Amino acid sequence: MEPTPLPIASKLSIRECGYNEYWLQDQIYENPSCLGLGELDAIDKERRQSSGGRLDLLMKNAEDDAMYEVEIMLGDTDESHIIRTIEYWDNEKRRWPQRQHTAVLVAESITRRFFNVIHLLSHSIPIIAIQANIIEVGGVRSLHFTKVLDTYEEIDDGAAPDNKTYDLSYWKERASWVIENAKALQEVSEEILEHSELNYTKFYIAITLNSNSYCFLHKRSDGKSLFEFRIPDHLLEEAKELLDSISITYISKSKRLRFTSDKKTIEQHKDVFKKLTAISGEYWAAS
């Protein structure tokens, strides 16, 4: 049976279709999920900044209070747009220092040159790049968003394995603070993680005991790491209460708990992190 022929879509300029940046801003504000970043709540638009500019959109994830600073530009992105996105992200981060913040750049076209620039910045700044386009198929037009870079997802460029060694030396050069954060957790949980080891990979460091990885630490900026614990479903609420007690926001999924922290916080709240590690041990006891 011959497959049914499909119509070919064409990409149209938003301006040539009679729309402007404010129209695109309103579309996102009224339907934040269109960006593909989860069920976000729109908090504000044209938010006045201390520097004198205005942030296009401020959004929040109701699940973990993570904030998204969104800047929008029609046409090709440029240096000033990238700088403004980072500036406004930093302003809001200073205003809400206890929350996770992500800069979001929305543009019609992100050229290879600026993709590389954003990717380079993403090593120290959590930033997401999204292309917004109007697509026409069979005379019907629709607004379409494509996420082209997300620093919370590792980039796969399709290249062959690089055969590099990812060890202590690699992480000392890449992000030495992730090692410090992992060692701090090891120390406060020594009774539970006695004889544990650090397992170094390209994208994370795992604390491993008896071939079981209790916690995964990913690189984040400002000396922080993204911690991921494996937690039994029946103990997730207890683990959440521990983080709530020290005002750490988190993302909870089946058998997993993610949050951002650092060495200083671990040392200040040793009992909490020790209990979290013990709860993670219940996961492996039941496996």
Side-chain angles (χ1 to χ4, degrees):
M1 181 177 176
E2 289 284 335
T4 304
L6 296 176
I8 304 299
S10 57
K11 186 167 65 174
L12 307 175
S13 163
I14 292 177
R15 288 195 189 280
E16 290 177 356
C17 290
Y19 303 111
N20 57 25
E21 286 185 20
Y22 295 107
W23 172 84
L24 181 57
Q25 184 185 94
D26 288 340
Q27 302 308 302
I28 299 171
Y29 186 82
E30 296 299 329
N31 182 24
S33 63
C34 68
L35 293 178
L37 304 177
E39 295 300 319
L40 304 183
D41 295 327
I43 303 301
D44 201 359
K45 61 180 174 179
E46 293 294 313
R47 185 178 179 88
R48 190 181 298 277
Q49 299 293 297
S50 58
S51 58
R54 292 178 182 270
L55 171 65
D56 285 339
L57 294 171
L58 179 65
M59 298 185 174
K60 184 180 78 168
N61 187 324
E63 184 179 342
D64 63 356
D65 281 340
M67 311 293 287
Y68 293 82
E69 288 75 33
V70 183
E71 273 296 296
I72 299 165
M73 182 178 183
L74 298 191
D76 294 344
T77 191
D78 56 28
E79 296 96 328
S80 63
H81 192 47
I82 295 172
I83 292 171
R84 190 163 65 247
T85 302
I86 294 171
E87 178 188 0
Y88 295 166
W89 163 82
D90 185 60
N91 289 344
E92 297 298 327
K93 185 171 179 287
R94 292 172 186 273
R95 186 176 296 179
W96 303 94
Q98 298 304 317
R99 298 182 180 182
Q100 295 184 45
H101 292 261
T102 303
V104 181
L105 172 66
V106 178
E108 275 190 277
S109 176
I110 300 174
T111 63
R112 185 67 189 177
R113 175 192 174 198
F114 287 112
F115 177 90
N116 291 337
V117 171
I118 297 167
H119 190 193
L120 179 63
L121 290 170
S122 74
H123 293 313
S124 57
I125 297 170
I127 186 169
I128 293 172
I130 296 173
Q131 286 191 168
N133 301 108
I134 290 180
I135 305 296
E136 185 175 69
V137 182
V140 178
R141 295 176 177 179
S142 62
L143 181 60
H144 181 68
F145 296 89
T146 305
K147 184 164 56 175
V148 297
L149 175 65
D150 185 345
T151 57
Y152 281 80
E153 299 172 0
E154 301 301 344
I155 306 302
D156 180 4
D157 59 8
D162 55 21
N163 297 319
K164 290 183 180 179
T165 300
Y166 301 104
D167 53 14
L168 177 62
S169 297
Y170 166 79
W171 276 92
K172 279 184 175 179
E173 182 176 348
R174 181 175 189 252
S176 60
W177 63 87
V178 182
I179 303 171
E180 295 175 1
N181 294 338
K183 288 183 175 180
L185 181 60
Q186 273 186 307
E187 290 176 7
V188 302
S189 306
E190 189 173 2
E191 294 177 16
I192 302 152
L193 298 176
E194 187 179 6
H195 306 307
S196 65
E197 298 179 346
L198 298 185
N199 180 27
Y200 301 97
T201 75
K202 183 176 182 179
F203 298 122
Y204 63 81
I205 299 175
I207 301 179
T208 304
L209 179 64
N210 298 328
S211 300
N212 297 327
S213 294
Y214 277 65
C215 182
F216 302 85
L217 290 87
H218 300 260
K219 173 191 170 186
R220 290 295 179 262
S221 60
D222 298 331
K224 297 182 182 295
S225 300
L226 175 66
F227 288 70
E228 180 178 313
F229 279 88
R230 293 179 176 178
I231 305 288
D233 282 337
H234 70 283
L235 293 176
L236 266 176
E237 289 305 317
E238 181 181 347
K240 291 178 186 178
E241 289 176 3
L242 286 170
L243 294 179
D244 286 337
S245 70
I246 55 175
S247 301
I248 289 182
T249 57
Y250 51 80
I251 297 175
S252 173
K253 295 184 178 180
S254 178
K255 295 184 174 64
R256 292 182 184 270
L257 193 62
R258 291 182 172 186
F259 57 90
T260 302
S261 192
D262 55 19
K263 176 181 177 181
K264 181 179 178 181
T265 304
I266 293 171
E267 292 175 342
Q268 287 177 338
H269 304 285
K270 295 180 180 180
D271 290 344
V272 167
F273 284 89
K274 182 177 179 180
K275 289 176 182 177
L276 273 177
T277 308
I279 290 174
S280 182
E282 294 293 324
Y283 172 90
W284 293 111
S287 298

